[in-house]
Amino acid sequence: MSAGTPGGPAVAEFDVAVIAASLGGPAALRQVLAAIPADFPVPLLVAQHRPPELDGRFVEALQARTRLAVRTVGDEEPLATPGVGVLPPRHTATVDPGGRLRLRAADSGRTADPLLESAAAHCGHRALCVVLTGRLEDGAAGVRAIKRHGGRTIVQQPSTAQAPGMPKAALATGCVDLVMPLSHIAAAMIALTMAPGAADLFRVAPPSWADLAA
């Protein structure tokens, strides 16, 4: 049974969950989303690095593996839109004061960090982020921001990632609450989001050397 009243709708611990991925991300995302239940109460946003010519097939492949509705995010779309919102290729997004997503081009390859930083500022402790497989370090600054504002962070265990760069960069910040194999991440998201008190129970204080600065 989900959190909330018996037989009633789930009560979410978060307002948004952002998943960041790059190389190896499509397969990792399919595995995670396949295990998320249809009544998952938190909007999911996906920042996956990919070329524009693969966009349609990417969204279709995700939809084929999940019970949630998958769509490409549109400009000025409400942050609270249910289901899975996928950022367009080579774009990032920020959250405006009214809770709407504002798209902008991101040629640098850093599509996750601006979204995570903005979501952290807008949602505070009610933001959840997940960093999956990928090269380089997109997501590390966002993990810092989420932690700084009191949210929760999950990172794929680097040894289970096709490309460990992004998970390792996130872990190096000292701002990660949970690190686990890919096969466990969906269960962790469900528990943190839908089990009463789990988000507080699994909060991990950053070590003394962690850099929470912007």
Side-chain angles (χ1 to χ4, degrees):
M1 181 67 67
S2 303
T5 58
V11 177
E13 295 287 341
F14 300 97
D15 293 330
V16 68
V18 179
I19 307 177
S22 186
L23 182 63
L29 284 162
R30 289 195 299 271
Q31 183 172 337
V32 171
L33 293 178
I36 299 293
D39 64 344
F40 191 72
V42 178
L44 288 166
L45 292 176
V46 172
Q48 165 67 56
H49 301 170
R50 65 196 187 282
E53 58 268 22
L54 296 181
D55 188 43
R57 283 180 287 169
F58 174 67
V59 172
E60 290 174 2
L62 293 185
Q63 185 63 83
R65 294 296 300 273
T66 180
R67 289 161 283 185
L68 301 169
V70 183
R71 70 197 182 280
T72 300
V73 170
D75 192 37
E76 299 191 30
E77 178 179 302
L79 177 67
T81 303
V84 182
V86 180
L87 294 188
R90 297 176 183 167
H91 280 73
T92 187
T94 55
V95 187
D96 71 18
R100 293 183 175 274
L101 294 166
R102 303 307 303 261
L103 294 175
R104 62 180 174 84
D107 294 331
S108 68
R110 289 183 174 271
T111 61
D113 279 331
L115 174 59
L116 285 166
E117 290 170 331
S118 184
H122 184 81
C123 300
H125 71 282
R126 293 183 60 83
L128 171 66
C129 84
V130 179
V131 177
L132 301 179
T133 177
R135 296 178 58 206
L136 304 178
E137 58 183 24
D138 191 23
V143 161
R144 275 199 191 92
I146 294 289
K147 193 70 169 178
R148 186 168 62 249
H149 288 274
R152 298 293 179 271
T153 57
I154 303 172
V155 170
Q156 181 179 355
Q157 185 176 320
S159 63
T160 71
Q162 180 177 334
M166 282 174 53
K168 285 183 175 180
L171 287 169
T173 67
C175 296
V176 174
D177 292 296
L178 298 170
V179 55
M180 56 189 53
L182 179 65
S183 59
H184 294 180
I185 285 177
M189 293 172 63
I190 294 165
L192 287 175
T193 298
M194 302 175 73
D200 288 331
L201 180 64
F202 290 100
R203 180 176 183 176
V204 177
S208 60
W209 52 264
D211 180 10
L212 294 173

